[in-house]
């Protein structure tokens, strides 16, 4: 009976927690920013701190809005044509600047309206000639939350412990020597957590077998596409082995090393490849894949994970859609990673022990062991 009551209580807590939502004005601002073609967005959902479901929402832009054109005009070009080219260039700069102004107006209004409701807020603006700086921060705290490093002169970011929600915006405009023009840069950040009543001590290891079973139906559909192939993955980096990371130097493309540059790491699993000719089918199935993955993590708040919201395959850059975080005595992490290149689409379902080392040319490798790369036969 006590066990049944505990289950009911946990379900009630979880349901109440998931009914909590982020600030509606901030959500509306984010919906607006999503529509701007010049804006880049990163949104992650995490459950690996024991503080509930955490969201990390980042938006940034970088616009060159004033630049002197360098045209190599042919001597035969007419003055009218020359002037038309210059005016076209000015028109493009003006349109870019207006997009930034529209975003700034929306962001400024949102932060101003929320300032009176925030637990604490900070606003700083500086404008002189062609130099502009804007810094905003909003903090929404529950009772018992703690602010570290409260703002002093010209600071704007806070680190929060157990904060419910925080939003910040950082903007600058000025001349950039490298880009030879005025550049407007902005970054908006929105972090919030939704308690689910589960502490870190009450969590369980990420169930790799159950997750792979969840996504297997869509992987099976991928494998049915003509020319699709599945390869085993074996990347080993023994402790003591050293390799420079870089375009010209090493054999390693990327590392997630938590100890040192000669640490141990072993990655095994499968690499599913789909030829580039299946663009429509691959993109449609990808949406099903990330949807199934998202359904799994939401159904298992007791398992630690990191999830990245994506709508399509990432070009060249290998993206971890799901990371099943290792827990307790379990030293094995899981990664569902995807990308596409000129050859086609790549889906990796991987188990990793130790630090994570990703070798160069991994899409073409049969194995990697301490710098020795064995390529698959074509």
């Amino acid at each position: 009976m006590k066990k049944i009551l505990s289950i009911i209580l946990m379900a009630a807590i979880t349901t109440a927690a998931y009914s909590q939502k982020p600030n509606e004005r901030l959500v509306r601002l984010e919906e607006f920013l999503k529509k701007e073609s010049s804006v880049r967005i990163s949104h992650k959902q995490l459950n690996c701190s024991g503080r509930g479901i955490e969201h990390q929402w980042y938006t940034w832009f970088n616009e060159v809005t004033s630049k002197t054109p360098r045209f190599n005009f042919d001597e035969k070009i007419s003055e009218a044509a020359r002037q038309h080219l210059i005016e076209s260039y000015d028109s493009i700069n003006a349109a870019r600047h207006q997009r930034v102004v529209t975003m700034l107006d929306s962001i400024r209004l949102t932060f101003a309206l929320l300032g009176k409701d925030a637990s604490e807020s900070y606003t700083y603006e500086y404008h002189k000639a062609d130099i502009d700086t804007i810094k905003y921060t909003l903090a929404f705290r529950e009772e018992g939350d703690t602010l570290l490093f409260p703002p002093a002169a010209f600071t704007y970011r806070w680190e929060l412990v157990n904060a419910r929600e925080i939003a910040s915006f950082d903007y600058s405009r000025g001349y950039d020597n490298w880009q030879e023009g005025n550049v407007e840069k902005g970054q908006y950040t929105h972090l919030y957590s939704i308690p689910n009543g589960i502490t870190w001590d009450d969590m369980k290891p990420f169930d790799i077998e159950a997750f792979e079973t969840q996504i297997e139906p869509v992987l099976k559909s991928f494998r049915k596409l003509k020319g699709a192939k599945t390869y085993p993955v074996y990347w080993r980096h023994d402790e003591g082995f050293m390799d420079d990371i870089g375009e010209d130097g090493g054999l390693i493309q990327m590392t997630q090393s938590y100890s040192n540059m000669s640490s141990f790491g072993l990655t095994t699993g499968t690499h599913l490849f789909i030829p580039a000719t299946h663009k429509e089918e691959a993109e449609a199935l990808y949406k099903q894949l990330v949807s199934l993955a998202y359904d799994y993590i939401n159904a298992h708040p007791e398992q630690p994970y990191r999830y990245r919201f994506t709508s399509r395959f990432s070009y060249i850059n290998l993206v971890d859609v799901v990371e099943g975080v290792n827990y307790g005595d379990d030293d094995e992490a899981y990664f569902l990673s995807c990308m596409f290149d000129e050859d086609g689409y790549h889906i990796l379902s991987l188990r990793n022990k130790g630090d994570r080392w990703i070798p160069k040319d991994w899409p073409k490798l049969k194995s990697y062991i301490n710098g020795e790369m064995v390529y698959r036969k074509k």
Side-chain angles (χ1 to χ4, degrees):
M1 183 66 180
K2 290 183 178 180
K3 185 176 181 180
I4 295 175
L5 290 175
S6 298
I7 294 173
I8 294 174
L9 178 61
M10 179 63 74
I13 292 174
T14 303
T15 301
Y18 276 106
S19 66
Q20 298 181 35
K21 297 179 180 180
N23 188 280
E24 291 184 3
R25 287 191 183 276
L26 294 175
V27 172
R28 287 199 294 271
L29 174 62
E30 289 153 16
E31 290 299 323
F32 166 74
L33 294 174
K34 285 180 183 179
K35 299 175 183 177
E36 293 294 321
S37 59
S38 60
V39 167
R40 299 183 65 186
I41 296 172
S42 174
H43 181 194
K44 297 180 180 179
Q45 178 175 311
L46 302 83
N47 183 33
C48 50
S49 68
R51 288 168 25 185
I53 309 300
E54 300 179 48
H55 285 259
Q56 300 177 350
W57 214 95
Y58 300 98
T59 298
W60 62 97
F61 59 85
N62 187 327
E63 288 275 21
V64 181
T65 56
S66 177
K67 184 174 182 179
T68 303
R70 289 187 174 185
F71 296 119
N72 294 321
F73 291 115
D74 190 300
E75 292 181 358
K76 296 179 180 179
I77 192 172
S78 67
E79 182 60 32
R82 186 195 309 264
Q83 189 62 33
H84 177 71
L85 285 173
I86 293 175
E87 290 175 356
S88 297
Y89 202 93
D90 291 341
S91 177
I92 292 172
N93 283 334
R96 289 175 177 173
H97 177 64
Q98 186 56 49
R99 284 201 301 267
V100 174
V101 169
T102 302
M103 287 189 287
L104 289 180
D105 287 345
S106 297
I107 293 169
R108 182 182 282 112
L109 178 60
T110 299
F111 275 79
L113 291 172
L114 289 177
K116 60 182 176 59
D117 299 322
S119 304
E120 297 187 37
S121 63
Y122 176 74
T123 301
Y124 172 78
E125 293 202 29
Y126 174 83
H127 307 282
K128 183 178 181 181
D130 290 331
I131 299 176
D132 298 286
T133 302
I134 299 175
K135 299 178 186 291
Y136 301 144
T137 296
L138 296 167
F140 298 91
R141 297 185 291 156
E142 298 287 2
E143 184 177 354
D145 291 348
T146 303
L147 278 177
L148 302 178
F149 309 113
F154 303 109
T155 64
Y156 71 103
R157 290 189 185 279
W158 291 310
E159 292 185 22
L160 291 95
V161 176
N162 296 325
R164 175 169 58 91
E165 192 166 15
I166 183 170
S168 66
F169 177 65
D170 187 10
Y171 164 81
S172 65
R173 177 174 181 256
Y175 188 80
D176 185 286
N177 290 322
W178 184 71
Q179 300 192 65
E180 298 180 332
N182 280 336
V183 177
E184 301 190 54
K185 302 177 182 178
Q187 177 173 308
Y188 163 81
T189 302
H190 183 195
L191 311 176
Y192 61 94
S193 60
I194 302 176
N196 59 6
I198 302 175
T199 67
W200 180 255
D201 291 338
D202 294 329
M203 297 184 77
K204 299 178 180 179
F206 188 81
D207 193 332
I208 299 175
E209 288 78 10
F211 179 80
E212 289 182 325
T213 299
Q214 171 90 352
I215 63 174
E216 174 57 27
V218 69
L219 293 182
K220 185 177 180 180
S221 296
F222 271 111
R223 289 193 291 266
K224 288 182 178 179
L225 296 175
K226 185 177 180 180
K229 297 180 180 179
T230 301
Y231 305 108
V233 172
Y234 189 87
W235 307 332
R236 198 177 84 210
H237 187 286
D238 289 337
E239 185 174 358
F241 174 73
M242 294 289 289
D243 179 47
D244 294 330
I245 299 174
E247 290 291 331
D248 303 319
L251 302 171
I252 296 293
Q253 172 182 308
M254 184 178 73
T255 178
Q256 290 178 335
S257 178
Y258 306 105
S259 49
N260 57 64
M261 296 302 290
S262 62
S263 59
F264 167 78
L266 174 63
T267 303
T268 58
T270 58
H271 170 199
L272 175 57
F273 170 76
I274 300 94
T277 52
H278 296 293
K279 180 179 179 180
E280 292 186 6
E281 299 97 324
E283 292 292 354
L285 287 172
Y286 181 81
K287 289 180 171 57
Q288 295 181 32
L289 176 64
V290 297
S291 178
L292 286 177
Y294 190 57
D295 289 344
Y296 180 86
I297 62 169
N298 282 331
H300 296 280
E302 79 287 356
Q303 298 178 20
Y305 65 80
R306 296 185 180 94
Y307 178 88
R308 180 168 180 171
F309 290 87
T310 54
S311 59
R312 60 179 60 87
F313 281 92
S314 171
Y315 179 60
I316 295 180
N317 181 36
L318 184 64
V319 168
D320 298 328
V321 178
V322 173
E323 177 186 352
V325 179
N326 52 20
Y327 171 82
D329 296 331
D330 183 15
D331 64 347
E332 190 171 56
Y334 173 82
F335 295 90
L336 174 65
S337 309
C338 303
M339 80 165 209
F340 82 96
D341 55 21
E342 289 79 3
D343 296 325
Y345 302 86
H346 306 268
I347 302 173
L348 300 176
S349 181
L350 305 174
R351 300 179 183 222
N352 190 87
K353 291 187 177 182
D355 291 335
R356 190 185 185 203
W357 300 88
I358 301 178
K360 288 185 178 180
D361 283 347
W362 63 262
K364 303 175 183 178
L365 291 182
K366 184 177 181 180
S367 67
Y368 169 95
I369 303 175
N370 297 330
E372 181 180 347
M373 305 170 78
V374 178
Y375 287 81
R376 291 192 300 271
K377 294 181 180 179
K378 293 184 180 180

